[in-house]
Amino acid sequence: MKRQLGLLFRGAGMGAADAVPGVSGGTIAFITGIYEELLLTVRRFGPSAFGAWRQGGMAGLIAHLNLGFLVPLLAGIAASLISVAHLVVWLMEDHPLLLNGFFFGLVAASALVVGRHPADWRFWHLLPLAIGLLLAQLLPALMPLIGRLGSPELMLVVGGAIAISAMLLPGVSGSFLLLTMGLYGKVMDAIRDVDLGAILLFGGGCLIGLFAFSRLLCWLLLRFHTATLQLLVGFILGSLPVLWPWRELVSYQLGPDGQMIPLDYRYLTPSAFTEVTGDPAQLLGVAALMLAGAALVWSIGRTQNGDQTVAPGGRHENKEEGSDA
């Protein structure tokens, strides 16, 4: 019961993060110690599940799919997305500097926690780190191309596949990619208004993305564990400019529904931000929330009992599981 409650809260944290453009639920999963178990669990949804059901019945299927882990996690994500949607929209509109300040501190500290060098770290691991940084910068610039698909239904499916794949990457925000695709408002409205047609299309895309991308990440982690972790750290570091509170939008385009899609920002100091925009920089409040976000990450990191690893044969090893079982 203790483990299920912990997973529920971790899922709530992932859902809250995914509702904010610029923040990734994968980052929350990483710093709370469930990232690799999540990937391995998602990978089990496939043809092998039928074999587990035939051999062990419903109990065998539940064990194979690791539903004791997945169900409370998904429940937390769903509850958070539904309840946080209104709050996030309000914070983004009325207090964007404070919101970005908190998550900037959280993500920056996450990069430090995740980026601690393991024993087998080598100098060449700087290469996947640099690739992650580069890809994190390029992905948002490519997303407006999704608007050229033409069909709103196809855009929702493709957007769902990309957004859920981004959610699996620490530092890559599925919400921000949806924003650059021009789909963020549509998806959030569908969740708030319970638009089943749009939710099913988007959810179908999410299932496709989960099925394919989780397998790719698991393959990379099993064969190139440290290099893949450094790649993920690059993604986290590359997401930080998106969360910098004091910035000015200098380039944008309009999406299919007239929604503004940001393309490029100019990053400012707090004093320059006030001069350019005429708005208060809220320096003390933003700095305090940056520290609060960083402190939250460090406190979570200290509670973890050990690094999670994926054994060569694919078995997930996590010291925490033994204490919660």
Side-chain angles (χ1 to χ4, degrees):
M1 185 63 186
K2 176 184 175 182
R3 177 166 166 78
Q4 278 67 40
L5 186 61
L7 289 169
L8 186 70
F9 282 115
R10 291 170 183 176
M14 291 176 64
D18 281 318
V20 180
V23 188
S24 168
T27 303
I28 305 301
F30 218 129
I31 64 177
T32 57
I34 61 171
Y35 182 74
E36 293 180 25
E37 184 176 4
L38 174 62
L39 288 181
L40 290 170
T41 298
V42 172
R43 190 184 66 167
R44 295 179 182 181
F45 283 78
S48 61
F50 292 101
W53 177 69
R54 290 179 61 184
Q55 291 181 7
M58 185 57 66
L61 181 63
I62 291 173
H64 176 79
L65 298 179
N66 200 14
L67 293 186
F69 164 84
L70 194 60
V71 169
L73 188 70
L74 290 179
I77 292 174
S80 183
L81 281 175
I82 294 171
S83 60
V84 169
H86 295 280
L87 176 62
V88 166
V89 171
W90 175 71
L91 288 173
M92 287 176 59
E93 292 177 353
D94 291 2
H95 304 283
L97 296 183
L98 299 177
L99 182 69
N100 283 333
F102 173 77
F103 281 106
F104 184 90
L106 185 145
V107 173
S110 300
L112 294 176
V113 170
V114 176
R116 288 178 295 192
H117 293 167
D120 62 341
W121 190 89
R122 298 293 182 268
F123 186 76
W124 69 267
H125 287 136
L126 291 175
L127 177 61
L129 179 70
I131 292 173
L133 276 167
L134 180 63
L135 289 177
Q137 297 299 313
L138 290 178
L139 281 177
L142 296 175
M143 290 304 102
L145 297 176
I146 302 299
R148 299 183 183 178
L149 293 175
S151 167
E153 292 79 12
L154 181 58
M155 287 175 61
L156 278 173
V157 174
V158 174
I162 293 174
I164 200 68
S165 298
M167 190 196 82
L168 293 176
L169 283 173
V172 180
S173 167
S175 295
F176 184 71
L177 294 187
L178 284 175
L179 188 64
T180 56
M181 285 184 252
L183 293 175
Y184 180 77
K186 181 179 293 186
V187 172
M188 294 301 285
D189 288 342
I191 292 173
R192 287 197 301 266
D193 301 336
V194 196
D195 183 346
L196 293 181
I199 290 174
L200 287 175
L201 286 170
F202 184 75
C206 289
L207 289 176
I208 294 171
L210 274 176
F211 186 84
F213 198 63
S214 64
R215 282 161 171 74
L216 173 61
L217 279 178
C218 282
W219 183 84
L220 289 172
L221 283 167
L222 288 168
R223 287 160 178 78
F224 313 102
H225 189 265
T226 299
T228 304
L229 290 182
Q230 296 304 302
L231 177 73
L232 299 180
V233 172
F235 276 113
I236 293 176
L237 291 173
S239 72
L240 285 175
V242 178
L243 293 170
W244 183 248
W246 302 288
R247 60 189 179 185
E248 179 190 16
L249 181 65
V250 296
S251 177
Y252 69 92
Q253 71 181 44
L254 296 179
D257 299 328
Q259 184 182 15
M260 185 174 65
I261 302 173
L263 298 178
D264 191 24
Y265 291 95
R266 182 159 66 106
Y267 301 99
L268 307 168
T269 63
S271 59
F273 176 84
T274 301
E275 292 177 5
V276 169
T277 66
D279 296 326
Q282 304 180 58
L283 179 58
L284 290 178
V286 172
L289 286 172
M290 281 184 177
L291 292 174
L296 178 62
V297 170
W298 281 110
S299 64
I300 292 173
R302 289 177 64 88
T303 63
Q304 301 307 312
N305 293 325
D307 294 331
Q308 51 180 337
T309 61
V310 179
R315 178 173 56 87
H316 181 269
E317 294 178 349
N318 191 329
K319 295 178 183 178
E320 181 183 359
E321 289 185 12
S323 60
D324 290 337

PDB file of all heavy atoms in Angstrom, residues 92-106:
ATOM      1  N   MET A  92      -0.488  30.287 -16.102  1.00  0.00           N
ATOM      2  CA  MET A  92       0.213  30.701 -17.309  1.00  0.00           C
ATOM      3  C   MET A  92      -0.229  32.092 -17.763  1.00  0.00           C
ATOM      4  O   MET A  92       0.571  32.865 -18.296  1.00  0.00           O
ATOM      5  CB  MET A  92      -0.029  29.685 -18.433  1.00  0.00           C
ATOM      6  CG  MET A  92       0.712  28.376 -18.266  1.00  0.00           C
ATOM      7  SD  MET A  92       0.283  27.203 -19.562  1.00  0.00           S
ATOM      8  CE  MET A  92       0.752  28.122 -21.018  1.00  0.00           C
ATOM      9  N   GLU A  93      -1.499  32.409 -17.551  1.00  0.00           N
ATOM     10  CA  GLU A  93      -2.023  33.701 -17.994  1.00  0.00           C
ATOM     11  C   GLU A  93      -1.738  34.811 -16.993  1.00  0.00           C
ATOM     12  O   GLU A  93      -1.415  35.938 -17.384  1.00  0.00           O
ATOM     13  CB  GLU A  93      -3.531  33.591 -18.237  1.00  0.00           C
ATOM     14  CG  GLU A  93      -3.891  32.711 -19.431  1.00  0.00           C
ATOM     15  CD  GLU A  93      -5.395  32.564 -19.602  1.00  0.00           C
ATOM     16  OE1 GLU A  93      -6.142  33.043 -18.699  1.00  0.00           O
ATOM     17  OE2 GLU A  93      -5.825  31.992 -20.614  1.00  0.00           O
ATOM     18  N   ASP A  94      -1.844  34.516 -15.690  1.00  0.00           N
ATOM     19  CA  ASP A  94      -1.754  35.566 -14.675  1.00  0.00           C
ATOM     20  C   ASP A  94      -0.409  35.635 -13.954  1.00  0.00           C
ATOM     21  O   ASP A  94      -0.026  36.700 -13.455  1.00  0.00           O
ATOM     22  CB  ASP A  94      -2.862  35.376 -13.629  1.00  0.00           C
ATOM     23  CG  ASP A  94      -4.238  35.653 -14.190  1.00  0.00           C
ATOM     24  OD1 ASP A  94      -4.337  35.953 -15.403  1.00  0.00           O
ATOM     25  OD2 ASP A  94      -5.225  35.570 -13.435  1.00  0.00           O
ATOM     26  N   HIS A  95       0.303  34.508 -13.853  1.00  0.00           N
ATOM     27  CA  HIS A  95       1.579  34.486 -13.125  1.00  0.00           C
ATOM     28  C   HIS A  95       2.638  33.686 -13.885  1.00  0.00           C
ATOM     29  O   HIS A  95       3.237  32.755 -13.325  1.00  0.00           O
ATOM     30  CB  HIS A  95       1.376  33.899 -11.728  1.00  0.00           C
ATOM     31  CG  HIS A  95       0.348  34.609 -10.912  1.00  0.00           C
ATOM     32  ND1 HIS A  95       0.595  35.827 -10.303  1.00  0.00           N
ATOM     33  CD2 HIS A  95      -0.943  34.286 -10.629  1.00  0.00           C
ATOM     34  CE1 HIS A  95      -0.496  36.207  -9.649  1.00  0.00           C
ATOM     35  NE2 HIS A  95      -1.442  35.301  -9.843  1.00  0.00           N
ATOM     36  N   PRO A  96       2.907  34.011 -15.149  1.00  0.00           N
ATOM     37  CA  PRO A  96       3.848  33.195 -15.937  1.00  0.00           C
ATOM     38  C   PRO A  96       5.278  33.238 -15.404  1.00  0.00           C
ATOM     39  O   PRO A  96       5.987  32.230 -15.463  1.00  0.00           O
ATOM     40  CB  PRO A  96       3.755  33.810 -17.341  1.00  0.00           C
ATOM     41  CG  PRO A  96       3.288  35.218 -17.105  1.00  0.00           C
ATOM     42  CD  PRO A  96       2.372  35.139 -15.922  1.00  0.00           C
ATOM     43  N   LEU A  97       5.729  34.376 -14.869  1.00  0.00           N
ATOM     44  CA  LEU A  97       7.104  34.466 -14.371  1.00  0.00           C
ATOM     45  C   LEU A  97       7.308  33.544 -13.169  1.00  0.00           C
ATOM     46  O   LEU A  97       8.322  32.836 -13.075  1.00  0.00           O
ATOM     47  CB  LEU A  97       7.439  35.905 -13.988  1.00  0.00           C
ATOM     48  CG  LEU A  97       7.430  36.944 -15.120  1.00  0.00           C
ATOM     49  CD1 LEU A  97       7.850  38.305 -14.575  1.00  0.00           C
ATOM     50  CD2 LEU A  97       8.336  36.525 -16.256  1.00  0.00           C
ATOM     51  N   LEU A  98       6.350  33.560 -12.242  1.00  0.00           N
ATOM     52  CA  LEU A  98       6.472  32.719 -11.048  1.00  0.00           C
ATOM     53  C   LEU A  98       6.418  31.238 -11.412  1.00  0.00           C
ATOM     54  O   LEU A  98       7.192  30.425 -10.884  1.00  0.00           O
ATOM     55  CB  LEU A  98       5.368  33.069 -10.056  1.00  0.00           C
ATOM     56  CG  LEU A  98       5.373  34.512  -9.530  1.00  0.00           C
ATOM     57  CD1 LEU A  98       4.186  34.739  -8.603  1.00  0.00           C
ATOM     58  CD2 LEU A  98       6.677  34.829  -8.809  1.00  0.00           C
ATOM     59  N   LEU A  99       5.516  30.878 -12.326  1.00  0.00           N
ATOM     60  CA  LEU A  99       5.388  29.478 -12.736  1.00  0.00           C
ATOM     61  C   LEU A  99       6.672  28.995 -13.407  1.00  0.00           C
ATOM     62  O   LEU A  99       7.202  27.927 -13.073  1.00  0.00           O
ATOM     63  CB  LEU A  99       4.198  29.321 -13.682  1.00  0.00           C
ATOM     64  CG  LEU A  99       3.893  27.901 -14.157  1.00  0.00           C
ATOM     65  CD1 LEU A  99       3.376  27.045 -13.013  1.00  0.00           C
ATOM     66  CD2 LEU A  99       2.876  27.919 -15.296  1.00  0.00           C
ATOM     67  N   ASN A 100       7.193  29.798 -14.347  1.00  0.00           N
ATOM     68  CA  ASN A 100       8.424  29.409 -15.035  1.00  0.00           C
ATOM     69  C   ASN A 100       9.611  29.387 -14.084  1.00  0.00           C
ATOM     70  O   ASN A 100      10.515  28.554 -14.228  1.00  0.00           O
ATOM     71  CB  ASN A 100       8.704  30.370 -16.196  1.00  0.00           C
ATOM     72  CG  ASN A 100       7.830  30.083 -17.401  1.00  0.00           C
ATOM     73  OD1 ASN A 100       7.395  28.960 -17.599  1.00  0.00           O
ATOM     74  ND2 ASN A 100       7.573  31.095 -18.198  1.00  0.00           N
ATOM     75  N   GLY A 101       9.636  30.313 -13.115  1.00  0.00           N
ATOM     76  CA  GLY A 101      10.726  30.330 -12.152  1.00  0.00           C
ATOM     77  C   GLY A 101      10.789  29.041 -11.354  1.00  0.00           C
ATOM     78  O   GLY A 101      11.870  28.454 -11.173  1.00  0.00           O
ATOM     79  N   PHE A 102       9.649  28.566 -10.880  1.00  0.00           N
ATOM     80  CA  PHE A 102       9.624  27.332 -10.098  1.00  0.00           C
ATOM     81  C   PHE A 102      10.130  26.152 -10.927  1.00  0.00           C
ATOM     82  O   PHE A 102      10.986  25.372 -10.482  1.00  0.00           O
ATOM     83  CB  PHE A 102       8.202  27.054  -9.603  1.00  0.00           C
ATOM     84  CG  PHE A 102       8.050  25.727  -8.924  1.00  0.00           C
ATOM     85  CD1 PHE A 102       8.497  25.537  -7.624  1.00  0.00           C
ATOM     86  CD2 PHE A 102       7.462  24.664  -9.584  1.00  0.00           C
ATOM     87  CE1 PHE A 102       8.373  24.305  -6.996  1.00  0.00           C
ATOM     88  CE2 PHE A 102       7.328  23.429  -8.970  1.00  0.00           C
ATOM     89  CZ  PHE A 102       7.782  23.246  -7.668  1.00  0.00           C
ATOM     90  N   PHE A 103       9.626  26.019 -12.145  1.00  0.00           N
ATOM     91  CA  PHE A 103      10.015  24.872 -12.954  1.00  0.00           C
ATOM     92  C   PHE A 103      11.430  25.010 -13.511  1.00  0.00           C
ATOM     93  O   PHE A 103      12.093  23.997 -13.777  1.00  0.00           O
ATOM     94  CB  PHE A 103       9.001  24.644 -14.082  1.00  0.00           C
ATOM     95  CG  PHE A 103       7.760  23.944 -13.617  1.00  0.00           C
ATOM     96  CD1 PHE A 103       6.565  24.616 -13.471  1.00  0.00           C
ATOM     97  CD2 PHE A 103       7.787  22.599 -13.290  1.00  0.00           C
ATOM     98  CE1 PHE A 103       5.422  23.970 -13.025  1.00  0.00           C
ATOM     99  CE2 PHE A 103       6.663  21.938 -12.841  1.00  0.00           C
ATOM    100  CZ  PHE A 103       5.470  22.627 -12.707  1.00  0.00           C
ATOM    101  N   PHE A 104      11.931  26.242 -13.678  1.00  0.00           N
ATOM    102  CA  PHE A 104      13.326  26.409 -14.082  1.00  0.00           C
ATOM    103  C   PHE A 104      14.244  25.850 -12.998  1.00  0.00           C
ATOM    104  O   PHE A 104      15.197  25.109 -13.289  1.00  0.00           O
ATOM    105  CB  PHE A 104      13.641  27.887 -14.320  1.00  0.00           C
ATOM    106  CG  PHE A 104      15.037  28.133 -14.830  1.00  0.00           C
ATOM    107  CD1 PHE A 104      15.297  28.152 -16.190  1.00  0.00           C
ATOM    108  CD2 PHE A 104      16.093  28.331 -13.947  1.00  0.00           C
ATOM    109  CE1 PHE A 104      16.589  28.369 -16.667  1.00  0.00           C
ATOM    110  CE2 PHE A 104      17.383  28.543 -14.420  1.00  0.00           C
ATOM    111  CZ  PHE A 104      17.631  28.564 -15.778  1.00  0.00           C
ATOM    112  N   GLY A 105      13.971  26.193 -11.740  1.00  0.00           N
ATOM    113  CA  GLY A 105      14.773  25.657 -10.645  1.00  0.00           C
ATOM    114  C   GLY A 105      14.660  24.157 -10.534  1.00  0.00           C
ATOM    115  O   GLY A 105      15.653  23.453 -10.299  1.00  0.00           O
ATOM    116  N   LEU A 106      13.455  23.634 -10.751  1.00  0.00           N
ATOM    117  CA  LEU A 106      13.238  22.185 -10.654  1.00  0.00           C
ATOM    118  C   LEU A 106      14.015  21.441 -11.732  1.00  0.00           C
ATOM    119  O   LEU A 106      14.702  20.452 -11.466  1.00  0.00           O
ATOM    120  CB  LEU A 106      11.736  21.900 -10.751  1.00  0.00           C
ATOM    121  CG  LEU A 106      11.281  20.451 -10.543  1.00  0.00           C
ATOM    122  CD1 LEU A 106       9.927  20.423  -9.834  1.00  0.00           C
ATOM    123  CD2 LEU A 106      11.153  19.733 -11.878  1.00  0.00           C
TER     124      LEU A 106
END
